[in-house]
Amino acid sequence: MLAIGVSVSYNYGDFSAVFGVWARAQPPERSGRADEQNQGVSPARDGPTWRSVPLITNANILLIDDDPQDRSLAAVVLSRELGEVRVREVGDAAAFALALSAGTIDLVITENELAWSDGLTVLSTLRESRPRVPVIFFTRAADTDVAVRAMKAGLADYLVKSSSGFLRLPSSAREAMERADQDQLVARSEPWLQTLLDRANVGVFRSTLDERLIEANPAVLRLLGVSSIEEALKVDLPTHFMHAGSRPDLMQRLNKTGELQARVVELQKADGASVWLNLTEVMLLDVDGDIVVDVLIHDVTHLKQRERELRESLDEFKRSNEYLTDFASVASHELREPLRTIGKHSALLAKDLSGSLGKSQEKSLDFIVDAVGRMQVLVNDLLQLSRVGSGWKGFQVCDCNTLVDQALRNLQPAIEESAAAVHREGLPTVLADPSELEHVFQNLIGNAIKFRGKEAPRVTIRAVQKSGEWVFTVEDNGIGIDSEDFEKIFQTFARIHPERPGTGIGLTLCKRVVERHGGRIWVESESGKGSKFLFTIPVETREDSEQQESAEPSLRSSQKE
């Protein structure tokens, strides 16, 4: 292994003070020196501690310099710091031409001031023959004008030959080769990405801040209904398509990361057709240092059309719902009057003809009176069901103990007649429509009394908090429900015990009220073993109540099924 003595002093520093008196022209033997190589430590006893740089293997580095001592010293630094790299030294034009035709080159490090050429000429030659090879200027004197011109031409780095410059050279070389590898991966992926975007009809374009279109992919041109950028410029882009026309407007739309907020705009295409586009923008500097805006766009016209259809359907639903509510109110009023008339005159007829009617005639008259009564209850229940949620003004803080007390007062005649015992454990305060929630308690307690067994009804009401909601339970010792009827009982007009009074609307109303409060309702039961009706109400804060949409509470408590 060849060793050469180096003692080179420059005006800008003594390199012997940095690298030691002796430097090896080739990297040291690696066998038995794993620790030294991992730590980047020079084998010389009195040498300096070297910075650890990740090793790069099998890289081909072209080192161009007409000063053999500078070339040798740079080769030593690169070999020691980068690992298994192959450094080819070039000192004249002939050697440079030969090296260009000799095979793979991963990095070029060149002096700017060459006796036979200069760095800019070398860079230009490499850009023509090896455009993807990174180039570093490692030169004796700093020249700002040359550095700027070289950077614009694609120079990877510009270093001056000084003690710090030699120390910086390995890491600069490593970074340049890593960037080149990344650029090559990007270059390979660009055609695939462009094809993918084009097939997905996703447009990409770049514009200046003064709203001048610079470049665009084919998808953008299709979205605009044109065939070239020149035609695209004739479309009314500034008003409908581009970013904000003034810099203050644009800056207001910037977020903290420099990205512009996504927006949806309507564009009038060249053929006059209207299209809705979603734009995602980012502002950045181009290679010339000018501010540009890159935009990603895709067609959302179908979503806008669907949104419009949904809005129209919702408006129609609201109109229909209002019509049905009004109709139910008018119909109930109009039905109540003839029902009251029939009931009144049936009762008078039964009184006047008392004792003069036969048994079959009395039975028929009783049927009329009973049917009128059931019809009146049905009309009232239908009206209550139609009014759930209408005229709502927002949820209120409700003490469920108070609501249950009111429901029990409404049910007092049935409680006394059945000798029912109703036990209530401590109930919570919730945000709800008090009238509607009271009606839920009244229906469930009333059903427990109505569908009792041979024993006196026993009803227990309790609540527990689970996973952000209150779970209420109304449990009884009644006749129970078969499992196949668990879903049926919540359907409108469903009556699994037609021999008992009721309209089949009460549990339907309970379900609508609970779901409108963001909860759910279900039953657990066995035939002959009583039932447990459970429903949930979300645990919310007073602030949640204040954010509710204005409306007016509607339901009034009354006895239901």
Side-chain angles (χ1 to χ4, degrees):
M1 180 165 53
L2 177 63
I4 61 172
V6 179
S7 181
V8 183
S9 295
Y10 294 90
N11 292 332
Y12 42 77
D14 188 351
F15 286 98
S16 64
V18 179
F19 301 109
V21 175
W22 291 94
R24 300 180 182 275
Q26 297 180 8
E29 295 293 333
R30 282 167 171 72
S31 59
R33 296 185 180 273
D35 292 339
E36 291 179 349
Q37 288 302 310
N38 289 337
Q39 298 298 324
V41 179
S42 169
R45 180 180 299 274
D46 299 326
T49 300
W50 294 70
R51 293 175 298 169
S52 178
V53 178
L55 299 181
I56 295 179
T57 58
N58 301 322
N60 296 285
I61 300 177
L62 196 63
L63 187 57
I64 304 174
D65 199 323
D66 48 16
D67 186 324
Q69 289 187 336
D70 285 357
R71 288 201 312 269
S72 297
L73 189 54
V76 169
V77 173
L78 292 169
S79 298
R80 295 185 64 139
E81 289 298 308
L82 298 182
E84 297 291 345
V85 297
R86 292 182 287 272
V87 180
R88 179 167 183 166
E89 299 183 24
V90 172
D92 54 45
F96 179 52
L98 182 62
L100 288 180
S101 60
T104 303
I105 301 175
D106 298 304
L107 174 68
V108 174
I109 301 174
T110 181
E111 165 67 62
N112 179 46
E113 298 177 353
L114 299 168
W116 47 275
S117 185
D118 61 77
L120 290 174
T121 302
V122 170
L123 179 60
S124 176
T125 302
L126 288 167
R127 282 292 162 264
E128 293 177 359
S129 60
R130 305 290 182 100
R132 298 192 182 279
V133 175
V135 179
I136 297 175
F137 277 13
F138 191 49
T139 183
R140 295 183 183 87
D143 189 322
T144 302
D145 180 62
V146 170
V148 171
R149 292 168 60 191
M151 288 294 181
K152 287 187 176 182
L155 186 70
D157 204 353
Y158 189 98
L159 300 176
V160 176
K161 291 178 180 176
S162 63
S163 57
S164 60
F166 272 93
L167 291 174
R168 168 66 182 159
L169 184 60
S171 60
S172 177
R174 172 177 53 83
E175 292 169 1
M177 286 187 284
E178 288 177 350
R179 284 198 303 270
D181 289 341
Q182 293 171 359
D183 291 343
Q184 188 172 8
L185 290 175
V186 171
R188 289 175 179 174
S189 65
E190 276 183 354
W192 168 80
L193 182 58
Q194 287 289 353
T195 301
L196 181 64
L197 291 173
D198 191 50
R199 289 182 177 178
N201 207 32
V202 175
V204 181
F205 74 87
R206 171 170 289 185
S207 68
T208 62
L209 285 182
D210 59 0
E211 300 172 338
R212 178 173 52 86
L213 191 63
I214 300 175
E215 55 184 337
N217 73 339
V220 171
L221 302 180
R222 287 198 303 271
L223 291 172
L224 297 179
V226 297
S227 58
S228 66
I229 292 182
E230 290 74 16
E231 291 184 32
L233 293 176
K234 299 177 182 178
V235 181
D236 192 11
L237 293 179
T239 302
H240 301 287
F241 192 59
M242 307 289 281
H243 45 73
S246 65
R247 183 181 291 265
D249 291 339
L250 183 65
M251 300 307 294
Q252 286 181 1
R253 294 178 50 231
L254 281 171
N255 61 24
K256 294 181 180 180
T257 64
E259 296 182 355
L260 296 171
Q261 298 176 0
R263 58 197 176 99
V264 177
V265 300
E266 185 178 16
L267 173 71
Q268 200 76 15
K269 296 169 64 174
D271 60 1
S274 179
V275 61
W276 286 92
L277 301 173
N278 184 84
L279 281 70
T280 303
E281 305 161 304
V282 60
M283 190 169 66
L284 66 160
L285 296 176
D286 65 5
V287 294
D288 296 323
D290 296 326
I291 299 177
V292 296
V293 180
D294 284 349
V295 185
L296 187 72
I297 64 174
H298 63 279
D299 190 346
V300 293
T301 304
H302 63 292
L303 296 179
K304 278 291 185 179
Q305 291 174 343
R306 182 59 177 162
E307 179 184 335
R308 184 174 60 253
E309 292 171 358
L310 289 174
R311 189 181 300 111
E312 292 173 353
S313 298
L314 181 59
D315 292 341
E316 180 62 28
F317 173 78
K318 289 180 178 179
R319 287 192 296 269
S320 298
N321 192 51
E322 291 172 358
Y323 171 78
L324 289 175
T325 301
D326 293 341
F327 174 80
S329 178
V330 173
S332 63
H333 175 75
E334 296 299 325
L335 286 173
R336 281 174 177 176
E337 185 58 32
L339 285 173
R340 279 196 297 266
T341 301
I342 295 173
K344 177 181 177 181
H345 288 280
S346 296
L348 290 174
L349 187 60
K351 182 179 178 180
D352 293 341
L353 298 178
S354 177
S356 62
L357 296 175
K359 289 185 178 181
S360 62
Q361 293 171 322
E362 289 181 353
K363 188 176 181 179
S364 297
L365 194 57
D366 289 340
F367 281 152
I368 294 174
V369 173
D370 181 66
V372 169
R374 285 189 288 108
M375 182 63 73
Q376 288 175 330
V377 173
L378 179 60
V379 169
N380 290 333
D381 285 357
L382 285 173
L383 181 60
Q384 291 278 0
L385 183 63
S386 69
R387 287 178 175 175
V388 173
S390 63
W392 180 59
K393 286 187 177 179
F395 292 148
Q396 305 174 24
V397 178
C398 304
D399 185 349
C400 292
N401 296 285
T402 302
L403 300 181
V404 170
D405 287 341
Q406 182 59 45
L408 293 177
R409 282 192 290 270
N410 296 335
L411 293 169
Q412 191 60 35
I415 293 174
E416 292 177 352
E417 185 270 334
S418 63
V422 181
H423 174 68
R424 177 185 69 242
E425 299 178 1
L427 300 179
T429 297
V430 298
L431 284 174
D433 184 314
S435 178
E436 292 187 355
L437 190 55
E438 175 193 322
H439 202 82
V440 171
F441 284 121
Q442 182 172 321
N443 268 281
L444 296 179
I445 298 171
N447 282 351
I449 296 173
K450 183 190 305 180
F451 298 102
R452 60 184 179 271
K454 294 180 180 180
E455 299 179 357
R458 295 192 307 274
V459 185
T460 302
I461 308 166
R462 66 177 69 91
V464 294
Q465 185 174 345
K466 293 181 180 179
S467 303
E469 61 184 10
W470 287 105
V471 181
F472 291 85
T473 303
V474 179
E475 184 176 2
D476 64 57
N477 63 336
I479 61 177
I481 305 170
D482 291 332
S483 58
E484 60 265 23
D485 294 323
F486 284 177
E487 296 295 332
K488 180 181 178 181
I489 59 175
F490 293 103
Q491 298 174 5
T492 308
F493 302 127
R495 300 180 64 195
I496 60 176
H497 297 287
E499 73 280 1
R500 305 209 177 197
T503 60
I505 295 178
L507 288 177
T508 303
L509 189 145
C510 290
K511 186 173 186 293
R512 286 193 60 180
V513 169
V514 170
E515 290 179 348
R516 198 175 75 81
H517 284 69
R520 61 193 189 283
I521 186 170
W522 69 99
V523 64
E524 297 174 359
S525 178
E526 290 184 34
S527 182
K529 295 184 179 181
S531 302
K532 285 199 302 184
F533 281 86
L534 302 96
F535 67 92
T536 63
I537 297 293
V539 176
E540 297 181 282
T541 63
R542 183 179 297 270
E543 287 73 15
D544 295 325
S545 176
E546 294 173 353
Q547 294 174 2
Q548 298 291 339
E549 184 180 6
S550 293
E552 177 166 301
S554 60
L555 278 182
R556 296 294 178 265
S557 58
S558 61
Q559 184 173 353
K560 292 297 169 193
E561 173 182 349

